[in-house]
Amino acid sequence: MSDVFKAVKISDHVYWVGAVDWKLRDFHGYATERGSSYNAFLIVDEKVTLVDTVKAPFLDEMLARIASVVPVERIDYIVSNHAEMDHSGALPATIQRVQPEKVFTSIKGQEALKAHFHDNNTYTTVKDGETLSLGTGTLAFYETRMLHWPDSMLSFYDADGILFSQDAFGMHLASAERFADEIETSVLTYEATKYFANILTPYSNQVVRQLERVLALNLPLKIIAPDHGPAYRQDLNWVLELYKTFAAQRPVNKAVVLYDTMWGSTQTMADALIEGLIAGGSAVEVFPMGVQHRSNVATALLNAGAFIVGTPTLNNMLFPTIADVLTYVKGLRFKNLIGAAFGSYGWSGEAVKQAEQILRDMKVEIVTDSVRTKYVPTQENLQECHQMGKTIAAQLANLKTG
Ligand code: FEO
């Protein structure tokens, strides 16, 4: 194995020594159709320093990449920027193998690592703004709490102008390329949007605050190197501006419609509603949840203006696929949405009210009465759904968007 996996030099002193997870398709409930990568970085300075590690099963691959540059025992320091196990899973075994002089992490990082591994490893905690000389260059640490865990911090290595940004600016994308400028922009935009929507949305305010605070330091930034996906070395403003746009969640004239169906009635209602939205001039993204994934709904909601939910009633409850996706997107705390609910039922019909209540809990502004149909919709019911679509489209058209 050691002859197969090589490090990739990404700047004068820094090598990528991570792992590409080509077959990953589920990241704690997030569908990763393009796989992912766990980026670890080796700084070869007088003090050889490893920044973050990889998911536990990729330990040997990471060690092999390191060994293609220096013997692993040459590592003096390890930095843990983020304790989530896709970056710390291989840390205990790496410490055991390398026996580094010190392992640096934030105060919250130490708490989190102890609570994960329950071992006797000793961590050296660093405070916001603290620096560490590596010889030629200096590493500076910046705490970025809740971007996206309490322990999260960024590290900046001044000799190469490289910001190790852990999950910030990351994306789930398995690729042979290590830099964003080698990858098609449409792929980057989609995967960056999906990552933000599914991981960072609840912390949008902190994202902007923390990033603006670090950027205000006017660091001589040349490369942004996240823990997932490619690094950025050209047009850093592209990704910085993208993040500001994501965090603002300014609604556009687009409705997200999701539904599921038992015997076709709620689907027929959805079809009438969608026609109404289109007739009213609204863009539409439609998610039949029997064949769609919750994380794609989250991606669509990041810049949507409306969120409309259709659910049959099953045993007095929401249809299970709808309960799943509503639980997921409620936790992500999307902002600036209007919406409504609809669906068919047989005799009790609670589900539409339950969906509407969840929308209210999400602070979605309910702008039109819900529509419920007993068993199979009549022409009159379908007209109501069509009108619901037109009403919402009219509201979207009046939005101050962009
Ligand atoms: Fe990639 Fe929050 O871990």
Side-chain angles (χ1 to χ4, degrees), residues 27 82 84 86-87 148-149 167 195 228:
F27 184 90
H82 181 26
E84 194 162 7
D86 45 337
H87 312 297
H148 70 122
W149 273 24
D167 283 340
Y195 191 86
H228 298 287

Side-chain angles (χ1 to χ4, degrees), residues 9 53 62 67 80 118 143-144 159 164 181 185 206 212 266 307 315:
K9 193 170 186 179
T53 66
M62 179 191 73
S80 173
H118 310 290
E143 283 189 51
T144 51
F164 301 106
D181 52 87
T185 306
Q206 290 95 318
E212 283 183 345
T266 304
F307 184 31
N315 300 326

